[in-house]
Amino acid sequence: MKATAIAGSNVAFVKYWGCLDPDLNLPLNSSVSLTLDQAHTILTVEFSPHIGQDTIELEGRPVSGAPRERIIRHLDDLRQLAGTNEPARVASRTSFPVATGLASSASLFAALTVAGLAALGLSFDERTVSRIARRGSGSAARSVFGGWVEWVAGGRDEDSYAQPLAPRDWWPIVDIIVIVSEEPKEVPSSVGHRLAPTSPCFPARMAQVAQHLALARTAVLTRDLALLGRVAEEEALLLQAVATTSDPPIFYWQPATVAVIRQVLAWRRDGLPVYFTLDAGPNVHVLAQPEHVPQLATGLCRIPGVIHTMVCQPGGPPQLGDVHNF
Ligand code: DP6
C-alpha cells in the first residue's frame, strides 16, 4: 500500500489560462507543452488504517490550509476509485522552487496520481490517468506523458485529457530555467484562471489560441524552433497581459524577469536562435539548441537578480521507484 513516483514538470508553449469548470479543471482551450527531465517531484504515498488521519509533508514540512485540502481532495478522488477510506501519508521533494511559476503542481499531482494508483493497486490506461491527474491540477494532465504533449481541452470530464504529440527523443531542445525568485507567488494559478475572463485582453487571447495551437503542433512536428519560440513568446506575453489587466490585477514578473527577456531579445538580434517563455510566475524558460547552452547559461548567470539556472532536456513519463521518502 506504499508507492513512490517521480514525475517531471512541464513548460507550456500554448498556455492553459482560464477554465470552463474550476472543480474539474476543465480548460477553456487546449494547450501544448514539453515534459522536463531535471525539474521534477519525487512523491511517496502510503494508505493504511494505522495512519490515523491524512498526513501531508511537502519539502520536509507539514502543509496546512488550502494546499492540504487540495491534496486531500485528490486523495479522496483516488480512494473513491479504489473503494477505500484508508488514511494516507504523503511526502514529496521537488527539485526546483515550488509555487514560483515552474509548474510544481503539475509534477506534484502527476506523481501523486501515479504513486497513489500504484499504492491502491489500481491500473488504468494513460488517458484515464491523465484525466485523474487533471482533476488534481490542470497542467498535471500533461505531465503524465513524457516528451511533447497536447492537452485536448474537451468540454467534459470524460474528454479532457492529454496525449503525446512527439516522443522525448524527437527533438533535443533545451529549456534553461532561469530562477529570479524562490518566493512562493502571492496569487495561485487557480485564482488566475478564475479572474482571467475579467480582463479586457482575455477575448483577444482566446481569439488567437486556435492559430497558436496549430502553429505549435506544426513547430514540434517539423522541429522548427523559430516558430515554436514565436508562439511561446506571444503566449507568455498574452498571459501576462491578461493577468495584469484582470480585476484585481495580478503581477507575476520581477525586475530580473524583464532583464532576462531583454537579454534573450538582444541575443536574437545578434543571430542566436534563443527564445523565452514564462508561465504564471517570475521565473523564465529560455529555449535553445544544445550547442548554445554553455554560452547562454554563462550569460544568464551574469544578469543582476538571477539566482541560478537549471538546464532541462525533454523528460520521460512518470516512473515508479523503490526508494521512498519515508
Ligand atoms: C500558467 O495547472 O497550475 O502554468 O489547475 O489550478 O493547478 P491548476 O492550474 P495550473 O495552471 C497552469 C497555468 C500555466 C499555464 C500552463 O501550464 O498551461
Side-chain angles (χ1 to χ4, degrees):
M1 293 300 260
K2 177 166 164 178
T4 294
I6 177 167
S9 88
N10 63 76
V11 53
F13 306 113
V14 178
K15 319 280 183 189
Y16 157 42
W17 200 244
C19 56
L20 184 67
D21 182 329
D23 283 329
L24 291 170
N25 292 335
L26 296 178
L28 282 169
N29 62 270
S30 299
S31 51
V32 171
S33 64
L34 173 66
T35 299
L36 303 172
D37 65 345
Q38 296 299 315
H40 53 69
T41 297
I42 301 177
L43 180 143
T44 302
V45 58
E46 179 177 20
F47 293 90
S48 161
H50 308 297
I51 289 173
Q53 62 162 359
D54 289 332
T55 310
I56 295 145
E57 218 180 81
L58 306 185
E59 310 312 305
R61 283 187 294 274
V63 281
S64 56
R68 177 183 152 83
E69 292 313 312
R70 192 173 172 191
I71 290 172
I72 289 182
R73 207 183 107 149
H74 201 60
L75 289 168
D76 286 341
D77 200 2
L78 297 171
R79 283 187 280 239
Q80 196 183 354
L81 289 166
T84 176
N85 56 9
E86 285 184 356
R89 181 173 173 201
V90 175
S92 78
R93 293 271 173 196
T94 294
S95 67
F96 55 97
V98 298
T100 63
L102 297 174
S104 55
S105 66
S107 51
L108 178 81
F109 280 93
L112 178 58
T113 302
V114 169
L117 292 175
L120 291 165
L122 296 171
S123 156
F124 294 108
D125 59 89
E126 287 173 325
R127 196 172 269 190
T128 305
V129 178
S130 173
R131 283 177 43 222
I132 298 168
R134 187 206 75 232
R135 297 197 293 256
S137 167
S139 52
R142 300 187 306 239
S143 274
V144 160
F145 295 93
W148 306 84
V149 180
E150 175 164 354
W151 171 14
V152 181
R156 295 167 307 157
D157 183 44
E158 305 85 77
D159 57 17
S160 184
Y161 48 78
Q163 57 192 22
L165 256 187
R168 171 188 196 173
D169 58 3
W170 171 250
W171 190 17
I173 285 303
V174 175
D175 174 8
I176 309 176
I177 296 179
V178 188
I179 313 278
V180 303
S181 171
E182 298 182 317
E183 290 302 309
K185 59 191 177 195
E186 287 163 8
V187 184
S189 295
S190 50
V191 175
H193 292 302
R194 198 164 42 72
L195 294 180
T198 66
S199 160
C201 298
F202 188 66
R205 174 172 185 266
M206 291 309 284
Q208 239 181 334
V209 89
Q211 191 199 13
H212 278 171
L213 280 166
L215 293 176
R217 282 185 209 113
T218 303
V220 170
L221 297 178
T222 61
R223 301 187 184 96
D224 184 339
L225 179 57
L227 183 59
L228 185 70
R230 196 184 100 203
V231 171
E233 290 189 354
E234 284 178 14
E235 280 283 308
L237 297 172
L238 281 167
L239 191 157
Q240 172 72 7
V242 170
T244 53
T245 52
S246 291
D247 181 16
I250 312 169
F251 293 96
Y252 284 123
W253 292 10
Q254 296 287 340
T257 310
V258 181
V260 171
I261 292 173
R262 293 176 80 111
Q263 179 61 66
V264 168
L265 296 176
W267 274 323
R268 232 179 27 249
R269 280 195 297 275
D270 292 343
L272 264 181
V274 52
Y275 301 84
F276 69 85
T277 197
L278 300 95
D279 288 327
N283 297 316
V284 189
H285 296 269
V286 173
L287 308 168
Q289 292 165 191
E291 61 270 31
H292 297 127
V293 169
Q295 174 188 355
L296 297 174
T298 308
L300 289 164
C301 286
R302 287 204 186 110
I303 298 173
V306 169
I307 302 170
H308 66 100
T309 59
M310 287 176 71
V311 177
C312 294
Q313 289 172 353
Q319 300 288 328
L320 289 168
D322 50 15
V323 179
H324 303 301
N325 282 329
F326 57 83

